[in-house]
Coordinates of all heavy atoms in Angstrom, one line a residue:
G8 N 63.1 -213.4 -55.1 CA 61.9 -214.2 -54.8 C 62.2 -215.7 -55.2 O 61.3 -216.3 -55.8
A9 N 63.3 -216.2 -54.7 CA 63.7 -217.6 -55.1 C 63.2 -218.6 -54.1 O 63.5 -219.8 -54.2 CB 65.2 -217.7 -55.3
T10 N 62.4 -218.2 -53.1 CA 62.0 -219.1 -52.0 C 60.7 -219.8 -52.4 O 60.3 -220.7 -51.6 CB 61.7 -218.3 -50.7 OG1 60.8 -217.3 -51.0 CG2 63.0 -217.7 -50.2
S11 N 60.1 -219.6 -53.5 CA 58.8 -220.1 -53.9 C 58.6 -220.0 -55.4 O 59.3 -219.3 -56.0 CB 57.8 -219.4 -53.1 OG 56.5 -219.8 -53.4
G12 N 57.5 -220.7 -55.8 CA 57.0 -220.5 -57.1 C 57.9 -220.4 -58.3 O 58.9 -221.2 -58.4
F13 N 57.8 -219.3 -59.1 CA 58.6 -219.2 -60.3 C 60.0 -219.0 -60.0 O 60.9 -219.5 -60.7 CB 58.1 -217.9 -61.1 CG 56.7 -217.8 -61.6 CD1 56.1 -216.6 -61.8 CD2 56.0 -219.0 -61.7 CE1 54.8 -216.5 -62.2 CE2 54.6 -218.9 -62.2 CZ 54.0 -217.7 -62.4
G14 N 60.3 -218.3 -59.0 CA 61.7 -218.0 -58.6 C 62.5 -219.2 -58.3 O 63.6 -219.5 -58.7
G32 N 65.5 -213.6 -51.2 CA 64.1 -213.7 -50.7 C 64.2 -213.3 -49.2 O 65.3 -213.2 -48.7
R33 N 63.0 -213.3 -48.6 CA 63.1 -212.9 -47.2 C 63.2 -214.1 -46.3 O 63.7 -214.1 -45.2 CB 61.8 -212.1 -46.8 CG 61.7 -210.7 -47.4 CD 60.4 -210.1 -47.3 NE 59.4 -211.0 -47.9 CZ 58.1 -210.8 -47.9 NH1 57.6 -209.8 -47.3 NH2 57.3 -211.6 -48.6
R34 N 62.7 -215.3 -46.7 CA 62.7 -216.5 -45.9 C 64.0 -217.3 -46.0 O 64.2 -218.1 -46.9 CB 61.5 -217.4 -46.2 CG 60.2 -216.7 -45.8 CD 59.0 -217.5 -46.3 NE 58.8 -217.2 -47.7 CZ 57.7 -217.7 -48.4 NH1 56.9 -218.5 -47.9 NH2 57.6 -217.4 -49.7
L56 N 67.0 -211.0 -48.2 CA 66.8 -209.6 -48.6 C 65.4 -209.2 -48.9 O 64.7 -210.0 -49.5 CB 67.6 -209.5 -50.0 CG 68.1 -208.1 -50.4 CD1 69.0 -207.5 -49.4 CD2 68.9 -208.3 -51.7
D57 N 65.0 -208.1 -48.3 CA 63.6 -207.6 -48.7 C 63.9 -206.6 -49.8 O 64.6 -205.6 -49.6 CB 63.0 -206.9 -47.4 CG 61.6 -206.5 -47.7 OD1 61.2 -206.1 -48.8 OD2 60.8 -206.6 -46.7
V58 N 63.3 -206.8 -51.0 CA 63.6 -205.9 -52.1 C 63.1 -204.5 -51.9 O 63.5 -203.6 -52.5 CB 63.0 -206.5 -53.4 CG1 63.6 -207.7 -53.9 CG2 61.4 -206.6 -53.3
R59 N 62.2 -204.3 -50.9 CA 61.7 -202.9 -50.6 C 62.8 -202.1 -49.9 O 62.6 -200.8 -49.9 CB 60.5 -203.0 -49.7 CG 59.3 -203.7 -50.4 CD 58.2 -203.9 -49.4 NE 58.5 -204.9 -48.4 CZ 57.7 -205.3 -47.4 NH1 56.5 -204.8 -47.3 NH2 58.1 -206.3 -46.6
N84 N 61.7 -211.2 -60.1 CA 60.6 -212.0 -60.0 C 59.8 -211.7 -58.7 O 58.6 -211.9 -58.6 CB 61.0 -213.5 -60.0 CG 60.0 -214.4 -59.5 OD1 59.0 -214.7 -60.1 ND2 60.2 -214.9 -58.2
A85 N 60.5 -211.2 -57.6 CA 59.8 -211.0 -56.3 C 58.6 -210.1 -56.5 O 58.7 -209.1 -57.1 CB 60.8 -210.4 -55.3
G86 N 57.5 -210.6 -56.0 CA 56.3 -209.7 -56.1 C 55.1 -210.4 -55.5 O 55.2 -211.6 -55.1
L87 N 54.0 -209.7 -55.4 CA 52.8 -210.3 -54.8 C 51.6 -209.5 -55.2 O 51.7 -208.3 -55.6 CB 53.0 -210.3 -53.3 CG 52.7 -209.1 -52.5 CD1 52.8 -209.4 -51.0 CD2 53.7 -208.0 -52.8
A88 N 50.4 -210.2 -55.0 CA 49.1 -209.5 -55.1 C 48.5 -209.6 -53.7 O 48.7 -210.6 -53.0 CB 48.2 -210.1 -56.1
T108 N 56.6 -203.4 -53.2 CA 57.3 -204.6 -53.6 C 57.4 -204.7 -55.1 O 58.5 -204.8 -55.6 CB 56.5 -205.8 -53.1 OG1 56.2 -205.7 -51.7 CG2 57.2 -207.1 -53.3
N109 N 56.3 -204.6 -55.8 CA 56.3 -204.8 -57.2 C 56.9 -203.7 -58.1 O 57.4 -203.9 -59.2 CB 54.9 -205.1 -57.7 CG 54.2 -206.2 -57.0 OD1 54.8 -206.9 -56.2 ND2 52.9 -206.4 -57.3
I136 N 59.3 -210.1 -64.3 CA 58.0 -210.9 -64.3 C 56.9 -209.9 -64.1 O 56.6 -209.4 -63.0 CB 58.0 -212.0 -63.2 CG1 59.3 -212.9 -63.4 CG2 56.8 -212.8 -63.3 CD1 59.5 -213.6 -64.7
G137 N 56.2 -209.7 -65.2 CA 55.0 -208.9 -65.2 C 53.8 -209.8 -64.9 O 53.8 -210.7 -64.1
S138 N 52.7 -209.5 -65.7 CA 51.5 -210.4 -65.5 C 50.5 -210.0 -66.6 O 50.5 -208.8 -67.1 CB 50.8 -210.1 -64.2 OG 49.5 -210.7 -64.1
V139 N 49.6 -210.9 -67.0 CA 48.5 -210.5 -67.8 C 47.7 -209.4 -67.2 O 47.1 -208.6 -67.9 CB 47.6 -211.7 -68.2 CG1 48.3 -212.8 -69.0 CG2 47.0 -212.4 -66.9
Y151 N 47.2 -204.1 -58.1 CA 48.1 -205.2 -58.6 C 48.3 -205.1 -60.1 O 49.5 -205.0 -60.6 CB 47.6 -206.6 -58.2 CG 48.4 -207.7 -58.8 CD1 49.7 -207.9 -58.3 CD2 48.0 -208.5 -59.9 CE1 50.5 -208.9 -58.9 CE2 48.8 -209.5 -60.4 CZ 50.1 -209.7 -59.9 OH 50.9 -210.6 -60.5
K155 N 51.8 -204.1 -62.4 CA 52.4 -204.9 -63.5 C 52.4 -204.1 -64.8 O 53.2 -204.4 -65.7 CB 51.6 -206.2 -63.6 CG 51.8 -207.1 -62.4 CD 53.3 -207.5 -62.1 CE 53.4 -208.5 -61.1 NZ 54.8 -208.9 -60.8
A180 N 55.0 -212.1 -69.0 CA 53.7 -211.8 -68.4 C 52.8 -213.1 -68.4 O 52.1 -213.4 -69.3 CB 52.9 -210.7 -69.3
P181 N 52.9 -213.8 -67.2 CA 52.1 -215.0 -67.1 C 50.7 -214.8 -66.8 O 50.3 -213.8 -66.1 CB 52.8 -215.8 -65.9 CG 54.1 -215.0 -65.6 CD 53.8 -213.6 -66.1
G182 N 49.8 -215.7 -67.2 CA 48.5 -215.8 -66.7 C 48.4 -216.6 -65.4 O 49.4 -216.8 -64.7
M183 N 47.3 -217.3 -65.2 CA 47.1 -218.0 -63.9 C 48.1 -219.2 -63.8 O 48.2 -220.1 -64.6 CB 45.7 -218.6 -63.9 CG 45.4 -219.3 -62.6 SD 43.6 -219.8 -62.5 CE 43.6 -221.1 -63.6
A184 N 48.8 -219.2 -62.7 CA 49.8 -220.2 -62.4 C 49.7 -220.6 -61.0 O 49.5 -219.8 -60.1 CB 51.2 -219.6 -62.7
E185 N 49.8 -222.0 -60.8 CA 49.6 -222.5 -59.4 C 50.9 -222.5 -58.6 O 51.8 -223.3 -58.8 CB 49.1 -224.0 -59.5 CG 48.7 -224.5 -58.2 CD 48.0 -225.9 -58.3 OE1 48.0 -226.4 -59.4 OE2 47.5 -226.3 -57.3
T186 N 51.0 -221.5 -57.8 CA 52.2 -221.3 -56.9 C 51.6 -220.9 -55.5 O 50.4 -221.1 -55.3 CB 53.1 -220.1 -57.4 OG1 52.3 -218.9 -57.4 CG2 53.6 -220.4 -58.8
E187 N 52.4 -220.2 -54.7 CA 51.8 -219.7 -53.4 C 51.1 -218.4 -53.6 O 50.7 -217.7 -52.6 CB 52.9 -219.7 -52.4 CG 53.4 -221.0 -52.0 CD 54.6 -221.0 -51.0 OE1 54.8 -220.0 -50.3 OE2 55.3 -222.1 -50.9
F188 N 51.1 -217.9 -54.8 CA 50.5 -216.6 -55.2 C 49.2 -216.3 -54.6 O 48.9 -215.3 -53.9 CB 50.5 -216.5 -56.7 CG 50.0 -215.2 -57.2 CD1 50.7 -214.0 -57.3 CD2 48.6 -215.1 -57.7 CE1 50.2 -212.9 -57.8 CE2 48.1 -213.9 -58.2 CZ 48.9 -212.8 -58.3
V191 N 49.1 -216.2 -50.8 CA 49.5 -214.8 -50.3 C 48.4 -213.8 -50.5 O 48.1 -213.0 -49.7 CB 50.8 -214.4 -51.0 CG1 51.2 -213.0 -50.7 CG2 52.0 -215.4 -50.7
Y204 N 42.3 -223.2 -58.4 CA 43.1 -224.0 -59.4 C 42.3 -225.4 -59.6 O 42.8 -226.1 -60.5 CB 44.5 -224.3 -58.8 CG 45.3 -223.0 -58.5 CD1 45.8 -222.8 -57.3 CD2 45.4 -222.1 -59.6 CE1 46.5 -221.6 -57.0 CE2 46.1 -220.9 -59.3 CZ 46.7 -220.7 -58.0 OH 47.4 -219.5 -57.8
Ligands
NDP301 P1 55.0 -217.0 -54.8 O1 54.2 -216.4 -53.7 O2 55.0 -218.5 -54.9 O3 56.4 -216.4 -54.8 C1 56.7 -215.0 -54.6 C2 58.1 -214.8 -54.3 O4 58.4 -213.4 -54.1 C3 58.6 -215.5 -53.0 O5 59.8 -216.1 -53.2 C4 58.7 -214.3 -52.0 O6 59.8 -214.6 -51.1 C5 59.1 -213.2 -52.9 N1 58.8 -211.9 -52.3 C6 57.6 -211.3 -52.0 N2 57.8 -210.1 -51.4 C7 59.1 -209.9 -51.3 C8 59.9 -208.9 -50.7 N3 59.3 -207.8 -50.1 N4 61.3 -209.0 -50.8 C9 61.8 -210.1 -51.4 N5 61.1 -211.1 -51.9 C10 59.8 -211.0 -51.9 O7 54.3 -216.4 -56.2 P2 54.8 -216.6 -57.7 O8 55.9 -217.4 -57.9 O9 53.5 -216.9 -58.5 O10 55.1 -215.0 -58.1 C11 56.3 -214.6 -58.6 C12 56.0 -213.4 -59.5 O11 55.2 -213.8 -60.5 C13 55.4 -212.2 -58.8 O12 55.9 -211.0 -59.2 C14 53.9 -212.4 -59.3 O13 53.2 -211.1 -59.3 C15 54.1 -212.9 -60.6 N6 53.0 -213.5 -61.3 C16 52.4 -214.6 -60.7 C17 51.3 -215.3 -61.4 C18 50.6 -216.4 -60.8 O14 49.4 -216.7 -61.2 N7 51.2 -217.2 -59.9 C19 50.9 -214.8 -62.7 C20 51.6 -213.7 -63.2 C21 52.6 -213.1 -62.5 P3 59.8 -214.3 -49.5 O15 58.3 -214.4 -49.1 O16 60.6 -215.4 -49.0 O17 60.4 -213.0 -49.4

Side-chain angles (χ1 to χ4, degrees):
T10 56
S11 174
F13 301 157
R33 290 167 300 176
R34 287 171 287 182
L56 205 54
D57 187 326
V58 292
R59 294 171 293 180
N84 164 75
L87 81 174
T108 308
N109 302 353
I136 305 301
S138 170
V139 294
Y151 177 68
K155 293 303 188 178
M183 185 172 74
E185 188 170 10
T186 62
E187 293 176 19
F188 178 81
V191 171
Y204 303 122

